[in-house]
Amino acid sequence: MGKDSVLLVTLIEELPGRIDASFIGALAGEHAAGTAAGTADLVGVAESAAACGGFDDADLRQRGLERPSRAGAAGLLLRALPFGLLSPLNRPRLRRDAYRCVAMAGADEGTAVTAVAAALLIADLLRFDLDTALIRVRQSLLEDAPMALLDRLRVVDGGPPMDVSDPDPGLTLQRAICALATANPFEDVLAAAASGTAVAASLAGALVGARDGLAAVAGVDRNHLPHADRALSVARRLAEAAVTTLPAPETAVQNG
């Protein structure tokens, strides 16, 4: 890694490790939930984004990612996360790419904007604590998101009630946010999220990995996570691509 790359990485402390931890967290959340929660789509979109440097309609279609998520509308939130990890300091780009990715899979407007919120949140958690990240996401979406979604971007005691048979994307995101607010170990975060839906557990795992890095998932037994080897290989490629897409340090400071 050259001198310029080292300077770019320091804009976000331990960026490659945080991306690795995000993938491990998502896989661990799905494993804890005991059912498919969209992590295969997360990995597929990340592989495409790493190979193409961002959203590429044709490449995603070739991978079958124009189809709805097996985890339902809430599962589409996981497809947006790679764009937050790839372009964390380029808000217009990550918003555009995340929106287009889930829209091509048939997401309605509410789900698409919620997916953008998830992408913004994981991007901000690479640099900020949860409270600060939530404030930043709400500010970014003030003109675009319905009030119902903006209201979901907050922590509520005990987490929001959910109908697990028909998970709402906004409630799923809030359940993950509420789980992330706990100061308990990683396993407890997953347990709190999984009391909502499997997608919420996977989403919470990804978010806490991005925020806390490899330390958060140090106790996860990767050998028992399905498809972990492929997922981590993709995570490394996404991290390499993310470093190249970061702006120059002085530009990043100006744009915040």
Side-chain angles (χ1 to χ4, degrees), residues 148-163:
L149 174 57
L150 295 176
D151 193 51
R152 297 297 179 199
L153 299 173
R154 63 186 180 90
V155 177
V156 294
D157 292 339
M162 296 190 68
D163 177 2

Side-chain angles (χ1 to χ4, degrees), residues 19 23 46-47 49-50 82 85-86 233-243:
I19 292 176
F23 277 63
E47 190 170 35
L85 296 171
L86 176 65
S233 175
V234 171
R236 286 189 289 271
R237 278 178 273 156
L238 187 68
E240 291 171 358
V243 169

Side-chain angles (χ1 to χ4, degrees), residues 87-216:
S87 308
L89 302 183
N90 189 335
R91 282 174 115 67
R93 179 182 179 185
L94 80 85
R95 289 180 62 165
R96 181 177 63 251
D97 284 0
Y99 184 94
R100 292 172 70 187
C101 179
V102 298
M104 71 180 291
D108 59 38
E109 182 67 15
T111 298
V113 176
T114 304
V116 170
L120 288 168
L121 181 58
I122 201 167
D124 282 349
L125 286 173
L126 294 169
R127 296 189 291 156
F128 303 104
D129 60 42
L130 179 62
D131 289 341
T132 303
L134 289 172
I135 290 171
R136 287 173 57 87
V137 175
R138 281 196 296 268
Q139 289 175 336
S140 293
L141 295 177
L142 276 177
E143 296 182 2
D144 302 316
M147 187 57 64
L149 174 57
L150 295 176
D151 193 51
R152 297 297 179 199
L153 299 173
R154 63 186 180 90
V155 177
V156 294
D157 292 339
M162 296 190 68
D163 177 2
V164 297
S165 66
D166 183 24
D168 172 82
L171 287 173
T172 298
L173 178 58
Q174 188 172 34
R175 171 66 68 172
I177 288 169
C178 293
L180 202 62
T182 180
N184 294 331
F186 180 72
E187 292 78 8
D188 291 348
V189 173
L190 295 188
S195 63
T197 66
V199 174
S202 191
L203 181 58
L207 294 174
V208 75
R211 183 190 65 182
D212 297 339
L214 290 171

Side-chain angles (χ1 to χ4, degrees), residues 37-96:
T39 57
D41 290 351
L42 163 70
V43 174
V45 170
E47 190 170 35
S48 174
C52 301
F55 173 85
D56 186 288
D57 184 279
D59 189 79
L60 288 168
R61 290 182 185 278
Q62 185 177 2
R63 298 171 189 271
L65 290 164
E66 83 286 1
R67 295 193 291 266
S69 171
R70 290 175 58 192
L76 292 175
L77 303 185
L78 293 170
R79 295 191 191 184
L81 299 185
F83 301 107
L85 296 171
L86 176 65
S87 308
L89 302 183
N90 189 335
R91 282 174 115 67
R93 179 182 179 185
L94 80 85
R95 289 180 62 165
R96 181 177 63 251

